[in-house]
Amino acid sequence: MTDSSQNDFIVVSNRLPVDRVIEPDGTAHWRRSPGGLVTALEPVMRASEGAWVGWAGKPDLELEPFTEDGIDLVPVPLSALEVERYYEGFSNDTLWPLYHDVIAAPSYHREWWEAYQVVNQRFADAAAEVAAPGATVWVQDYQLQLVPAMLRAQRPDLVIGFFNHIPFPPYGIFAQLPWRRQIVEGLLGADLIGFQRVADAGNFTRAVRRLYGPTTTKGTSIRVPSPDGGPERVAIAKAFPISIDVASFEELARRPETIERARQIREELGNPTTIMLGVDRLDYTKGIRHRLKAYGELLRDGDIDVGDAVLVQVASPSRERVAAYMQLRDEIELTVGRLNGTYSTISHNAIAYLHHGYPREEMAALYLAADIMLVTALRDGMNLVAKEYVACRHDDDGVLLLSEFAGAADELKNALLINPHDIDGLKESMVKALRMPKKERASRMRSLRRRVRENDVSSWSDSFLSTLRQSADAARSV
């Protein structure tokens, strides 16, 4: 680890980009977490003597800063009670449902809010301690919305960016939050506040106008009053749609062993004519229930025959201590069991339901094996699974059904765009995908692949950071 206050680029996120692994003999080591964010930021981290501030993923774990794979890591400790109140409580049972259009009812508890403030301050303190004078700090996501203002209060010399990976709700929904003003004040500590969609950035600027008056915003610019009566700053709120490491997924999908594994998957499923695939965290925002309802009705009406088609649903575990998620798992497993009990034969299941995660290699094979990808999110900041599927389809085949309520729909317009609440419309699109001629499939997929290649995750980070530097320079010249 470099000396304190010597890092020119700091990433602050809820989790560190490594997982702590305990071997059977009790020894512990760190393993890099999968994900596009660390891939995108790694070159910047190395070039700028960067540091990553985050929680190590285990409660009551006190760790000193350390270096792993050439990146300085600054662990932020959380107690078990703080994990319960800040993370499982305020972040995932208050903000998450609120920001996803109240698909599930948010819970508002003052002790959760107090824990959120305390933990955000701890993250801000950790970043302030390791940041060199004039350093750039990039804060990530909804768990840390108070950090920008807390950080600016301590270190006004810093260039501060914030990116919200999930949607930002319309003001009529956001206004339900008892601490709405404090959240907006926290975000306005940043020079640049990034969102997935233009609509999300618009929702945020409208919230600013409602709380601070109609003259505070102009286009993407927001006038931010100084808390001590000093000169105003200018912050920018703008959309930067995130993406994936396209080249990495495509290389993985082209490997002979991946292509062979895709063939084996089809064989293990009984060599059906059509494989439909859903890949989601087990979350109520993903529209898994709507997907199963539509699929069940197609089976009931004879539009799909179990001997010809199968639905593979990968639902990786998520927030299993939160009540809404426990209830969702029970509902999904009950529905899958009912449909399999009604429509499966001795040789063919109607649905292959897999409640666990898979490594990237297996996911690439699944994407290659699937004829139809079902992304039926009720609300999603982006949905990178849609982009991963497209990146893997180097054969220019496959059909993507994509919810218009996912951020990816703004870019992937040659998918079959659907409203997951419209069950009849969803069924019609599934049948259209089943019957789509190969020439049309290839034409649509080539267009989708061009779009995904144009905006990969490196382009996303480069665009954000260059805009951040420009925003900070402009703010300081006011």
Side-chain angles (χ1 to χ4, degrees):
M1 180 81 191
T2 57
D3 293 337
S4 180
S5 298
Q6 291 303 305
N7 298 102
D8 292 318
F9 180 66
I10 316 290
V11 173
V12 186
S13 67
N14 179 62
R15 287 289 300 273
L16 289 172
V18 292
D19 297 317
R20 194 164 189 256
V21 179
I22 307 296
E23 298 294 348
D25 63 2
T27 59
H29 64 92
W30 297 96
R31 180 177 59 206
R32 179 167 151 174
S33 305
L37 187 60
V38 63
T39 301
L41 298 182
E42 186 173 17
V44 189
M45 303 287 282
R46 295 188 189 282
S48 307
E49 294 188 329
W52 197 301
V53 175
W55 175 45
K58 302 286 185 184
D60 301 310
L61 188 62
E62 296 277 351
L63 296 169
E64 291 298 316
F66 63 99
T67 300
E68 180 69 25
D69 196 22
I71 296 176
D72 292 342
L73 301 175
V74 183
V76 175
L78 296 179
S79 69
L81 186 61
E82 286 168 340
V83 172
E84 178 186 331
R85 292 181 174 179
Y86 145 78
Y87 182 67
E88 294 173 349
F90 196 79
S91 295
N92 291 324
D93 210 9
T94 301
L95 293 176
W96 179 269
L98 183 76
Y99 282 30
H100 287 85
D101 292 351
V102 198
I103 293 168
S107 301
Y108 304 111
H109 298 292
R110 285 169 291 184
E111 61 269 25
W112 290 1
W113 165 244
E114 289 163 5
Y116 187 81
Q117 292 174 283
V118 167
V119 171
N120 271 243
Q121 187 66 63
R122 191 176 303 147
F123 275 82
D125 293 345
E129 186 176 341
V130 297
T136 296
V137 182
W138 193 359
V139 185
Q140 307 287 333
D141 223 0
Y142 65 104
Q143 301 98 339
L144 301 173
Q145 292 175 103
L146 304 181
V147 168
M150 291 172 167
L151 198 51
R152 186 166 297 282
Q154 294 184 65
R155 296 286 305 275
D157 61 298
L158 299 176
V159 175
I160 303 170
F162 180 91
F163 187 78
N164 198 53
H165 291 258
I166 68 173
F168 194 90
Y171 186 74
I173 292 176
F174 181 68
Q176 297 177 31
L177 185 66
W179 308 281
R180 60 197 184 194
R181 181 177 285 271
Q182 292 96 314
I183 292 291
V184 170
E185 287 174 353
L187 292 172
L188 289 177
D191 295 292
L192 175 62
I193 308 116
F195 299 91
Q196 298 280 27
R197 309 180 81 165
V198 172
D200 296 324
N203 286 341
F204 177 72
T205 55
R206 280 187 285 274
V208 172
R209 287 199 296 272
R210 291 292 295 267
L211 292 170
Y212 293 95
T215 62
T216 51
T217 70
K218 183 178 181 180
T220 61
S221 298
I222 301 170
R223 292 191 297 107
V224 184
S226 172
D228 57 7
E232 289 182 337
R233 291 173 37 252
V234 174
I236 300 294
K238 190 176 177 183
F240 297 87
I242 198 171
S243 193
I244 60 170
D245 184 357
V246 178
S248 170
F249 273 98
E250 184 163 348
E251 185 275 329
L252 188 57
R254 288 183 181 275
R255 292 178 187 172
E257 59 268 31
T258 306
I259 295 170
E260 171 59 19
R261 177 59 188 142
R263 187 197 64 77
Q264 290 174 357
I265 289 170
R266 294 193 73 93
E267 191 173 280
E268 289 166 8
L269 291 167
N271 284 316
T273 305
T274 303
I275 296 175
M276 297 186 181
L277 175 64
V279 175
D280 313 87
R281 282 188 309 102
L282 190 59
D283 191 290
Y284 48 74
T285 64
K286 301 299 183 181
I288 302 173
R289 286 176 290 204
H290 298 64
R291 184 182 312 162
L292 292 176
K293 182 174 179 61
Y295 186 72
E297 290 187 10
L298 289 174
L299 288 170
R300 181 198 66 194
D301 298 339
D303 295 304
I304 289 178
D305 181 81
V306 166
D308 294 330
V310 62
L311 170 61
V312 178
Q313 177 61 59
V314 177
S316 56
S318 175
R319 300 166 188 161
E320 295 200 296
R321 301 198 331 174
V322 177
Y325 290 78
M326 292 188 281
Q327 180 182 346
L328 175 66
R329 179 179 178 179
D330 290 344
E331 289 180 21
I332 297 299
E333 292 180 351
L334 186 66
T335 301
V336 169
R338 178 176 56 80
L339 290 175
N340 272 336
T342 303
Y343 299 107
S344 293
T345 65
I346 290 175
S347 57
H348 292 87
N349 274 337
I351 301 171
Y353 177 72
L354 308 161
H355 182 57
H356 45 87
Y358 287 97
R360 276 170 33 117
E361 292 79 5
E362 184 74 357
M363 291 312 307
L366 271 169
Y367 292 144
L368 271 182
D371 303 285
I372 300 170
M373 185 80 217
L374 301 174
V375 178
T376 58
L378 307 181
R379 191 76 166 92
D380 218 334
M382 179 52 61
N383 194 287
L384 296 179
V385 162
K387 295 187 175 186
E388 291 173 4
Y389 178 71
V390 170
C392 286
R393 295 312 301 238
H394 56 83
D395 57 354
D396 288 337
D397 206 352
V399 182
L400 173 63
L401 260 72
L402 178 59
S403 169
E404 61 193 55
F405 304 121
D410 288 355
E411 299 175 86
L412 305 182
K413 297 186 184 297
N414 267 288
L416 289 182
L417 297 180
I418 53 98
N419 174 359
H421 299 283
D422 177 9
I423 301 299
D424 286 336
L426 176 55
K427 288 161 57 181
E428 288 170 10
S429 292
M430 291 166 77
V431 171
K432 181 178 179 179
L434 277 164
R435 298 174 181 170
M436 187 178 291
K438 181 174 178 58
K439 185 176 180 180
E440 182 180 352
R441 297 199 306 267
S443 174
R444 285 176 178 270
M445 186 54 69
R446 281 194 295 269
S447 174
L448 292 171
R449 285 173 59 74
R450 279 195 301 272
R451 190 69 187 93
V452 168
R453 282 198 194 101
E454 286 168 3
N455 179 37
D456 68 2
V457 73
S458 296
S459 302
W460 167 78
S461 61
D462 290 346
S463 175
F464 185 95
L465 290 171
S466 64
T467 306
L468 173 58
R469 285 188 285 269
Q470 294 166 15
S471 303
D473 290 344
R476 281 148 182 73
S477 66
V478 173

